[in-house]
Amino acid sequence: MPTTLTSLITSNSVSSGALSVTTVTPGIPEGASVAAAVLLILLLLRDFLPASKHWESTVKVSLNMGIIPLMFSFGAIILFKVVALF
């Protein structure tokens, strides 16, 4: 019985030592290009939807609710890129 317990503890120690640690570097996240693409799509919708029969003030407000935060994040992305150059 004791040898089984010892082998179990040893195998558990070995497997827990195999954990890898990943470091996160500060910078622009992977989703920055997705945010820019969504911003572009929302801006295009805001330009083209007024010509359709589905345009209402609620649609405009809903689009603005998505566009305004994405504009701030896009500005932050551009600012980070410019600062990273210098």
Side-chain angles (χ1 to χ4, degrees):
M1 247 321 163
T3 58
T4 308
L5 182 60
T6 306
S7 65
L8 180 64
I9 292 172
T10 307
S11 66
N12 193 11
S13 303
V14 171
S15 65
S16 67
L19 294 175
S20 63
V21 176
T22 58
T23 58
V24 178
T25 57
I28 298 176
E30 297 291 325
S33 59
V34 174
V38 170
L39 176 63
L40 180 66
I41 290 170
L42 288 177
L43 287 172
L44 287 172
L45 283 173
R46 188 166 181 226
D47 284 342
F48 290 120
L49 277 181
S52 76
K53 62 180 179 175
H54 300 292
W55 184 254
E56 296 175 0
S57 64
T58 56
V59 174
K60 181 180 179 181
V61 169
S62 297
L63 286 175
N64 284 341
M65 286 175 57
I67 290 172
I68 292 172
L70 287 173
M71 288 290 278
F72 284 121
S73 65
F74 184 72
I77 291 167
I78 297 299
L79 182 68
F80 181 81
K81 292 268 189 180
V82 168
V83 169
L85 290 176
F86 300 107

